[in-house]
Structure formats: structure tokens, C-alpha cells
Amino acid sequence: MSALVVRGARLVLPDGGPSAPVDVTVRAGRVEGVAPAAATAPAGVDVLDADGRLLLPGFVDAHVHGEAAVLHDDVQLAMLRQGVTSVVVGQDGVSYAPSPRPGAQAVDGGPAASRLHDAAAWASGYFAAINGEHPTFRGGSVGDLLATYDGTTRVNVGYLAPHGTLRYAVLGAAARPATPAETDRMLALLASALDDGALGLSTGLEYVPATYADEAELVALARALAARGLPHVSHMRGYEDRAGPAFAELVRVARASGVATHVSHYHGPAAELLGYVDDAHAEGLDVTFDSYPYLRGCSILSMVSLPTWLPIADVDATVAALADPAVLERLHREHFPHLADLWPRVTMAAVPTGPAAGAAPGPVEDLSWTEGRTLPDVAARLGLSLAETAVRLLVATRLRASCVFAQPPTNSPESVRALLRHPAHVGGSDAIYAPVGGGGRPHPRGWGAFARFLAEHVRTLGDWTWHDAVTHLSARPAARFGLAGRGAVVPGAVADLALVDPDRVRDEATYEDPRRPASGVDDVLVAGVRVLRDGALTDALPGRPLRPGAPAA
């Protein structure tokens, strides 16, 4: 097979500095050799001139909501312009698969009562403002979903089996712990998902229906993961002032099951949070976490504004409840007063208009004009209280609205820096690209998190060396998710490679203009194929589904 030579590149050395110029030969999707730069270009091969740029192993985004978005060119451009060549989706316990066809018999052959629910349709509706709708997948196995990424995208896609989806398939929207028989059915679905190549299990313990799970359910699932050496990845049951008991729950699950544990988008007061991690390590537990370099988060409005005693997993029931005077009176009396500090920190991100899938016909209020406006601004324009405004947005969008929110002052620039310097840290953007292709006012992290790591925390602040950046953004996440052959530029490695200009790389996306691609990464290879050339996408689609231990080259 013909070779490609990346000529005159610099690799990063363990001391953080650049190497002398080298020529890196790529053949059949892998790094074939690394040699001192030749005076002239080799004959008979394709040559990519590095011009002294750093040649880094492609970055692995450990936490991204891209299972639908990654099939779109503009999202691939956003990722590749930051050097991201692989993503891990299926996050926070909610995604499309596994989802047996509606009414399918449970895998254990149980009674009619055990017939499974359409989890794909539920997940698409519940996380519409986070994951969007997959263009082709309407239910099936994890293997079926992974097949949609085979040769259809420029980046590689790994998938976590989502606990909330497993739970919904078995229990529907039931707001209670699972019975032993129901847990067994979830375990059977999980086993099939792992057989198909899932990289582990994600839980979203602040989201429904996972919030109704008890520790017995979590431990049972975690034991199945531990038996295969795969991680439990968790959006904890709470952050900031609730991080202590939430982290302690994960420690108990890890202790009882032996599972490796990864905490999603860890943020808050660093001294406290890192103390929990260090204590777990001292106990011999395998714990890592990801974080992103911003002080604002993003999620669906229903998660940040509604209590779990509402049937949030059932959209029809929740929308009906929000029209019930008795429910509203209870919310205003018991729940909304506790959100007085939150409301001023909320800015609307995506406020879908038009009828939602499954909605009854009839007029739909268009509140898309609220995108990019703060909740107090929207409330003033509507002449409503802040809580009334949130309810109006939720009802009008059938719970599909998302928001950006400033985190409490316990999360500070100093905390962000301390977290990312910790040896258990890996980089994750927590990117939300919906709505794909324009519209809305999404968080800029999907377009800038990895470039911001490099520009601010390597070049400006010196929190990392360039070697540290490779460790946190490529080698360590590859190891966490069992992605063999990734994380280093050495002979035999998968040739997912990014040329980075160390003086020019930077994030360009802002909260006001969040869809601007980063600069300073203009040439990227995936499986040895050029997917970004001079800052523009090529027509090649070498991306593959990622499975633990199996290089996708």
C-alpha cells in the first residue's frame, strides 16, 4: 500500500519540549516509522509538510454528546480543528441503544409484563436538546448503532451503554427501584451491549429514570463491567455542594463491585473534590475524571429546574402536571424558592419550535426568540416571574429546551486549573451540538474546549507541558476506554494524527458566537488518511466505531 510521509514534524518529548524535526511514515493506517528529517522529500510517496509544527496523537474527547451530530460535516470540522479524532458518546445514561423494537419480548423470555419499551424514541425525545435525533437509527442493538459510524464520518466513535436507556427499556418511566427480575433484564441488555463493543456503562444519576435506581441496582451492573475490565462512567447524583455524598456513592459501588470508575464533568471546589479522588486512590480504587475549561455548564432545562417527584421520564404526564394548579402550587411552595440563586445564572441555549414527536396536534407557542437571552430578560419580556417563565418554556417545548448556566462561585478559575493538573484527569468537552447546523445559542465548548486546553493551559498559564497535554487529552483517555494503539506517535500506533501550531492554536468560539471553529490545527489524519487539509474537510470518511482493545484502523 502507498505510504504518506509527514515531513519535518516535531514530536513532544517527556520533558515537554519539542524534538528535532522528524519524518513520520504512515502506511496501512498505522505509523510505520519515525526517522530524522531527510534533506529532501522521499520519492514516490505522498508528502505532508509539517513545517516544524507539533505532530500529536489525535485527541480523544472523553465526554461528548455527539452520537447524532458526529454524522454532520460542520460538527466534524469543529472537532478536527481542535485535533480531536475520536469521541466517546452515550454519556449521562441516555442515548439511543440498546432499544429493542416496541413490545419486544424481554431477552430472558419472561412474561408479557416484561415486554420492553421503545427506549430509542424516549431517549430521542427526552434528550432532544442534547443529542438531537439520529438521522437513520430508530431502534436496535448497540451493534446496529455502531454500524452507522462505519465509514460515514471523519472521526472515530466509541459508545457507552447508557444505564437510563437500559432502565427505560425494562421499566419504562417507573419512578422506583428495579426489582431483582428487572435488574436481571437490564443485565442481559448490558451483556449484549458489551458483546457488541460498548466501551463501558454510563449512568446519569441526576437524570430520570436513573435517579430512581438504588445502590443494589448499580452494584449489580457494575459487577458485570468489572468482570470485563470496563469502566463505570457517571454523571454523579449531584455536584458542587452535593459532590461529597454523590462521590461517596460511587466509591461504595466501586468498593462492592471492583469496577473502575470515571466521573463525568467533575467541577467545583478543587481541594474538596481532589481530596475525594485521592482518598479513593489510597484505598486502591481505580478512579479517573474528566473536566472542561469553562465556568459555565449546559443541560436540559427540566433537569436543572424540576424536582424528581414529577414524572419527568414521561413527557406527556409532566406537561400535563405543569398545567395542574395543585402541582404548580406545590412547585412554587416547595421547590422553586430553592432555585432563587439559579434563575439569574440561566441563559437559554436551544428552544425548539414546532410540534414534538408524539405531541397532540394543535398550535405550538414559538419561544425560539428566547435563545441567547437570560432567564430574567425573558421573564421581563413575558411579564412573568422567573419560575413562571421556566414553566412556560418547558411546556411550550415539551421539555426540549436547554440552557447554559453559570456555575456557583465555588467553581473558580483556580479550581479548573487544579483539577486539570491532577494525574487522574482526562479532557472532555461535554459538547452539545444540538441543534445541528445552526440556530440556538449552544455552549462554545464543542467548538473550543480542546483548543482552549492548549492555548490557555499549555501556552499561557503553563499548567501543562505539551507532553502533559498529550497525556491528558490522548494517552490517558485511550487507556481509560481500552482504545488500543492510540495515544502516542510511535511505530505500530494507529495513525490518528494532528499537526498543531503551538504558537497559533486557540479557541475562537465565544458564548455570543459559539460555532466558530478553532484555529491552529489545519491538518489531521485519521487512520492515516487526510481528513483535514489546510483547515478544510476532505471527502475522505475513514472514521470507524471504536471497541475496547480493537484498533479501528
Side-chain angles (χ1 to χ4, degrees), residues 161-209:
H163 166 237
T165 302
L166 301 177
R167 200 175 204 278
Y168 190 89
V170 174
L171 282 82
R176 58 171 175 79
T179 66
E182 289 165 339
T183 299
D184 286 344
R185 293 182 190 118
M186 280 188 270
L187 284 167
L189 288 173
L190 176 60
S192 295
L194 300 179
D195 289 344
D196 283 346
L199 301 178
L201 175 80
S202 75
T203 55
L205 300 176
E206 276 193 301
Y207 293 102
V208 297

Side-chain angles (χ1 to χ4, degrees), residues 312-349:
I312 304 171
D314 185 331
V315 173
D316 290 334
T318 301
V319 171
L322 292 176
D324 183 335
V327 171
L328 290 172
E329 189 279 330
R330 181 181 175 188
L331 285 169
H332 285 287
R333 173 170 42 86
E334 295 182 5
H335 182 68
F336 288 150
H338 299 292
L339 303 183
D341 174 65
L342 170 70
W343 298 133
R345 296 188 275 115
V346 169
T347 299
M348 298 313 300

Side-chain angles (χ1 to χ4, degrees), residues 64-71 89-91 94-96 131 134 149 159:
V64 56
H65 297 280
E67 39 267 81
V70 74
L71 296 168
V89 300
Q91 302 286 349
V94 181
S95 192
Y96 310 122
N131 289 341
H134 192 285
Y149 309 122
Y159 185 76

Side-chain angles (χ1 to χ4, degrees), residues 20 25 35 43 85 89 96 144 146 152 156 202-204 238 253 257 262 314 385 390 422 424 525:
T25 303
T85 57
V89 300
Y96 310 122
D144 295 331
L146 289 177
T152 60
N156 305 305
S202 75
T203 55
V253 171
S257 66
H262 181 84
D314 185 331
S385 71
H422 195 276
L525 309 178

Side-chain angles (χ1 to χ4, degrees), residues 14 26 63 72 92 134 161 169 180 218 284 286 299 318 321 347 390 415 430 478 493 505 525 542:
V26 173
H63 187 110
H72 294 261
D92 295 339
H134 192 285
L218 299 178
D286 180 358
S299 189
T318 301
T347 299
S415 287
D430 199 7
V505 63
L525 309 178

